[in-house]
Amino acid sequence: MPAFDPNAKKMLISGNEAISLSMRHCNVQFAAGYPGTPSTEILEDYSELGGYAQWAPNEKVAAEVALGAAFGHARSVVTMKMVGLNVASDVLYTATYTGVDGAMVWIVADDPGQGSSQNEQDTRNHAKASVCPMFEPSNSQEAYDFFRIAVQTSEKFKIPVILRMTTRVDHSKSIVVPKEELPAMVPNFERNIAGHVMVPGFSKPAGRRLRAKMDEMEAWNVAEGPNRVEMRSEDFGIIVSGISYHHVREAAPEASILKLGMTYPLPMQLIKDFAKKFEGKRLMVIEENDPWLAENIKAAGIQCESKFDPIFRFGELDVNRVRRIIAGDRNPDPVPVKGKPPMLCPGCPHRSSFAMLKELDCIVSGDIGCYTLAALPPISAMDYMIDMGAAIGMGIGLRNVLPREQAKKVVSVIGDSTFVHSGITGLVEAGYNRPDTGHVVVILDNSITAMTGQQEHPGTGRHLDHSPAYKLDYGAIAKTAGFDNVYEVNQVKEPEKFKELVKEALEKDELTLIVAKSPCILALKSILAWDKANKEKAEKALAESEAAAKKNGNF
Amino acid sequence: MSVVNVKFAGLGGTGVIKASDVMAELVFEQGYDVKKAEVHGMSQRGGSIASDVRFAKGEEVQSPMIPTGEADYLVVFDETQVVVNEAFLKQGGVLLTPADIDVSKLENVKALNVAMLGKLSKHFDFTVDQWTVALNKLFAEKFHEGNKKAFMLGREG
Ligand SMILES: Cc1ncc(C[n+]2csc(CCOP(=O)(O)OP(=O)(O)O)c2C)c(N)n1
Ligand code: SF4
């Protein structure tokens, strides 16, 4: 059950919960995604509210299945964190050309301040580069409302739309008053080869159509977009979007505000009109992350002040920082007292894995997940980490150039969810461009996507809602890719065996996959409960079909 | 009335988020505008965690985060986290820590967060019944009895 009453007239919910509810009320037919903080809960909540959602192996696949659904005249959603959009951007940059037949909303969650991310990229750059309309909510009510507007805009203009969230909006709770349901769409195939097949002959005119559509959308945004002017002071105006709106209201209650809800294509006429009111007076743009609004507004010939980027483009904004931006304070941020960093849980299987890799003095080409914490003291046993799946490719690159005695120490270490996400092509690379010294890949199979809060993936044998699914066989993939050896070992129960396997593998000039299989301690109770429920359900179904067969005399 | 700021802090697994959810639910039910912020993301246990609850009547709460030096109450569930968060407390603000509770009388140490809410409750006019409704809404039924005791221990102790 969801953590809130979906039937209440007024509720206190997070931005993510608000989106999941809005998805239900907009009668979304299909939702896919790949977990990633702070976006993960949206699909989980949506599923608990009775919506249909699935985890894909990665964001690119998630976007493709959602796009297919939108081609079939459905309303679809794809969710991801901002780095996921790098993986899925290939889909987006051409899906804007084709547009959609139903509706498609890309919910992309940025993480200013890097609470849980490997970089601090700003999705607004992708929106502009891919020519994809974008909305930026600033609280839960707007998350609810803007999702609906995103759906309606997508339908009206037949184009995918980005709902750009940020951690603070995803995870903060505020009050939401829901609206009535939108009538559902009726999925249907309609042939339109020139509109859907992006060979150059069809895609060149599509690119031009897209730009023309943007002009139309900008005019719509100026006239009807979810933007608002709040006039107070006649001497001081501020242009904002997203969460910055609330920080600004608190830091400068006297200031007039142009609050932008749809930030691509920007409603330039609205901005010009607002700017005009403050000619010769003070006009500022206040925004988190990149100086994106400021650059675009200045490029349109509008003069305004913006934040001092050497300091304020990094990290989240808050009321104090906004006060400092307004005051023109260029001093470095005060250094907060350091809290206690997160650590691997006591009894975590990753502890055993890295203790052994450390004892063997391996060069560890690592990856992203709970296990990345092994890069920090006191373990300090991971040497590289860039993006999901990179462990294998980077390991092969190192093996190719390092002197033999160093090359033979290189191990690629990757979590199970991360392996499925984008490690498989790495194995194919290893088999195809096999380094002279061979290679050793360790999959840390804790049977869950632990880092983001225990999500299923194609290797767990369960779907998003924990119902049974086909379970991927990592060893079989490695064999097919050309690996010589495949081993599975419980590194917690048999640490010495794990160590011996890695040691032997390092000595050979062969390709070896070692699956270190031991469940996430934090997830173990849930995993056992899900498996038990699935087994009981299967047994019950079997008993029922046997009884039916008996009754029909088919035995 | 201006915005009331309550900051909860502790280590992962000490019930910080739950306590802030109870406080937020309570004031929501009493018709306040309310915003609640928290930082969560990493699954692993044990790191510093904090959660802000801000509420007001007749006025909108703007930022979900309490600015430094503006918390009216700082409720800390682990003594080590006092130094990490005390800069948020305003001058003359109220600091509550586990030292304010007779922890030896707690039947279940996990209910410390609820006992701290009991302690906090003395600073507001909300009734025990109102607090109980919020607590019961956020906890599974099997905890209701124990929570009531822990809450009263904090409130009366
Ligand atoms: C492209 C991309 N998508 C999503 C994420 C968020 N993310 C970080 S690690 C991770 C998965 C970790 O799962 P797994 O590899 O099984 O390791 P575990 O945390 O279970 O140890 C995810 C989804 C990301 N960093 N990059
Ligand atoms: S959540 Fe699981 S995988 Fe992550 S640190 Fe804890 S036990 Fe390890």
Side-chain angles (χ1 to χ4, degrees):
Chain A
M1 278 305 288
F4 59 96
D5 173 9
N7 300 316
K9 289 205 169 64
K10 186 175 157 193
M11 46 192 99
L12 177 65
I13 54 178
S14 70
N16 281 350
E17 288 171 332
I19 293 177
S20 68
L21 188 66
S22 195
M23 283 166 68
R24 286 296 281 157
H25 292 172
C26 290
N27 269 306
V28 165
Q29 279 123 325
F30 188 91
Y34 181 76
T37 311
S39 70
T40 313
E41 302 85 2
I42 298 169
L43 288 194
E44 295 179 319
D45 293 336
Y46 176 66
S47 171
E48 287 189 1
L49 289 171
Y52 178 73
Q54 57 187 45
W55 292 130
N58 65 31
E59 293 86 351
K60 180 171 183 286
V61 178
E64 288 157 348
V65 291
L67 179 62
F71 280 153
H73 288 83
R75 287 195 189 110
S76 75
V77 163
V78 59
T79 70
M80 63 195 69
K81 71 181 290 167
M82 80 297 193
V83 282
L85 184 53
N86 302 338
V87 179
S89 62
D90 208 12
V91 186
L92 182 63
Y93 278 64
T94 306
T96 51
Y97 273 48
T98 56
V100 293
D101 302 76
M104 180 181 192
V105 181
W106 293 57
I107 300 170
V108 185
D110 284 17
D111 188 19
Q114 290 185 251
S116 186
S117 305
Q118 68 263 37
N119 71 23
E120 201 174 20
Q121 72 184 56
D122 188 327
T123 290
R124 297 178 300 171
N125 298 307
H126 264 309
K128 186 176 181 185
S130 65
V131 199
C132 186
M134 169 175 61
F135 295 88
E136 290 190 70
S138 57
N139 54 43
S140 300
Q141 182 71 59
E142 284 189 357
Y144 180 92
D145 291 340
F146 285 14
F147 175 80
R148 169 183 296 242
I149 298 174
V151 167
Q152 290 167 327
T153 315
S154 177
E155 248 163 77
K156 181 178 163 76
F157 291 94
K158 306 225 163 297
I159 188 164
V161 170
I162 293 174
L163 188 70
R164 184 217 184 205
M165 299 292 288
T166 55
T167 307
R168 218 29 98 168
V169 184
D170 285 298
H171 285 168
S172 293
K173 288 189 178 177
S174 55
I175 295 172
V176 171
V177 178
K179 300 189 162 54
E180 73 292 350
E181 279 189 29
L182 294 184
M185 292 190 103
V186 184
N188 170 43
F189 170 70
E190 223 177 86
R191 179 158 289 139
N192 173 6
I193 294 176
H196 290 149
V197 180
M198 288 298 98
V199 291
F202 295 148
S203 140
K204 284 179 196 172
R208 289 179 172 78
R209 280 199 304 275
L210 173 59
R211 293 292 169 179
K213 210 186 258 185
M214 274 316 110
D215 292 342
E216 229 184 289
M217 291 195 80
E218 180 174 339
W220 175 84
N221 193 16
V222 169
E224 294 176 52
N227 313 296
R228 156 171 104 230
V229 174
E230 297 175 4
M231 279 311 288
R232 283 177 280 268
S233 161
E234 290 182 359
D235 303 316
F236 186 20
I238 305 181
I239 302 172
V240 290
S241 69
I243 187 80
S244 310
Y245 166 75
H246 289 294
H247 301 326
V248 165
R249 282 297 310 277
E250 189 161 342
E254 75 292 353
S256 294
I257 289 181
L258 169 58
K259 180 188 180 303
L260 299 173
M262 185 183 196
T263 45
Y264 189 80
L266 278 169
M268 217 35 103
Q269 194 54 49
L270 268 190
I271 297 172
K272 283 185 180 149
D273 293 346
F274 185 72
K276 213 170 178 126
K277 296 187 170 66
F278 299 94
E279 251 167 16
K281 296 168 185 166
R282 192 165 189 211
L283 178 67
M284 281 194 97
V285 172
I286 294 185
E287 61 192 314
E288 224 163 38
N289 275 176
D290 290 353
W292 192 85
L293 286 175
E295 279 176 6
N296 283 291
I297 290 170
K298 285 175 186 170
I302 300 164
Q303 284 188 0
C304 59
E305 291 175 53
S306 52
K307 66 189 188 315
F308 180 61
D309 283 308
I311 293 178
F312 297 107
R313 85 179 299 152
F314 304 104
E316 261 194 305
L317 292 186
D318 56 28
V319 174
N320 280 336
R321 291 188 93 202
V322 169
R323 286 180 183 137
R324 289 177 48 218
I325 291 171
I326 293 172
D329 180 351
R330 297 187 167 197
N331 292 311
D333 286 300
V335 184
V337 181
K338 252 203 151 64
K340 189 165 170 251
M343 285 196 320
L344 291 173
C345 302
C348 171
H350 297 325
R351 286 180 180 270
S352 315
S353 312
F354 283 92
M356 293 301 138
L357 294 171
K358 195 171 179 176
E359 278 184 36
L360 291 170
D361 192 29
C362 292
I363 297 170
V364 175
S365 176
D367 224 303
I368 314 187
C370 281
Y371 51 97
T372 314
L373 288 173
L376 307 179
I379 307 180
S380 307
M382 184 182 291
D383 296 292
Y384 302 96
M385 187 284 265
I386 299 292
D387 67 289
M388 290 188 74
I392 303 179
M394 293 188 304
I396 294 167
L398 286 161
R399 284 244 175 193
N400 267 301
V401 299
L402 291 179
R404 186 175 167 83
E405 67 279 12
Q406 288 181 349
K408 290 204 62 81
K409 284 186 177 178
V410 178
V411 180
S412 291
V413 180
I414 186 167
D416 50 345
S417 188
T418 305
F419 174 74
V420 177
H421 180 283
S422 41
I424 296 173
T425 41
L427 290 192
V428 175
E429 163 72 1
Y432 182 52
N433 293 314
R434 178 187 279 254
D436 292 341
T437 57
H439 192 36
V440 181
V441 175
V442 177
I443 297 179
L444 300 173
D445 181 4
N446 60 0
S447 301
I448 205 81
T449 316
M451 171 89 174
T452 43
Q454 305 173 12
Q455 287 72 38
E456 307 287 5
H457 62 72
T460 66
R462 291 175 303 267
H463 292 117
L464 184 144
D465 64 359
H466 314 297
S467 62
Y470 175 75
K471 188 172 176 169
L472 200 62
D473 179 344
Y474 308 136
I477 295 175
K479 287 271 180 198
T480 305
F483 272 60
D484 307 298
N485 317 298
V486 172
Y487 304 107
E488 187 179 300
V489 56
N490 183 324
Q491 77 280 31
V492 174
K493 288 199 175 129
E494 299 184 279
E496 286 306 321
K497 183 171 168 201
F498 171 70
K499 187 175 165 187
E500 204 45 46
L501 280 173
V502 177
K503 190 161 168 261
E504 275 174 22
L506 288 170
E507 280 159 10
K508 292 182 207 154
D509 290 342
E510 294 178 354
L511 292 178
T512 303
L513 173 72
I514 300 170
V515 181
K517 193 170 171 59
S518 183
C520 162
I521 287 293
L522 209 60
L524 184 58
K525 231 167 111 179
S526 307
I527 293 175
L528 292 174
W530 294 326
D531 284 344
K532 188 166 166 241
N534 285 339
K535 198 168 155 226
E536 282 169 5
K537 229 184 260 166
E539 281 169 0
K540 198 168 155 229
L542 185 70
E544 274 169 13
S545 71
E546 275 177 7
K550 227 178 210 164
K551 205 168 137 205
N552 298 335
N554 291 343
F555 241 111
Chain B
M1 172 190 144
S2 57
V3 176
V4 178
N5 294 318
V6 186
K7 191 173 190 81
F8 296 89
L11 296 174
T14 55
V16 172
I17 308 269
K18 200 66 153 191
S20 66
D21 276 332
V22 172
M23 179 92 225
E25 177 64 30
L26 169 80
V27 294
F28 171 66
E29 284 298 328
Q30 300 311 312
Y32 288 78
D33 187 33
V34 52
K35 282 194 178 150
K36 198 203 94 142
E38 65 191 45
V39 175
H40 64 74
M42 310 248 189
S43 280
Q44 313 87 6
R45 289 290 159 97
S48 296
I49 287 192
S51 180
D52 298 356
V53 179
R54 315 189 71 192
F55 58 97
K57 228 173 209 165
E59 183 183 335
E60 239 183 289
V61 177
Q62 295 294 344
S63 172
M65 300 135 85
I66 301 172
T68 325
E70 294 187 21
D72 300 286
Y73 302 89
L74 173 61
V75 187
V76 180
F77 301 163
D78 186 289
E79 301 284 351
T80 63
Q81 298 305 296
V82 174
V83 281
V84 179
N85 292 286
E86 62 192 354
F88 283 96
L89 197 58
K90 73 172 187 197
Q91 285 216 331
V94 175
L95 170 69
L96 298 174
T97 75
D100 297 309
I101 305 269
D102 186 351
V103 183
S104 68
K105 287 202 184 132
L106 264 183
E107 284 176 20
N108 178 355
V109 282
K110 285 218 133 178
L112 175 68
N113 60 344
V114 177
M116 297 290 293
L117 283 173
K119 197 93 213 163
L120 178 68
S121 73
K122 295 211 294 193
H123 296 270
F124 296 99
D125 290 335
F126 305 117
T127 65
V128 173
D129 278 351
Q130 288 167 341
W131 281 95
T132 310
V133 169
L135 275 166
N136 289 354
K137 193 159 171 198
L138 280 146
F139 282 89
E141 204 173 332
K142 62 178 175 182
F143 296 114
H144 291 182
E145 270 296 313
N147 276 347
K148 185 89 197 248
K149 282 189 200 158
F151 184 84
M152 293 317 288
L153 173 74
R155 189 174 170 94
E156 285 163 2

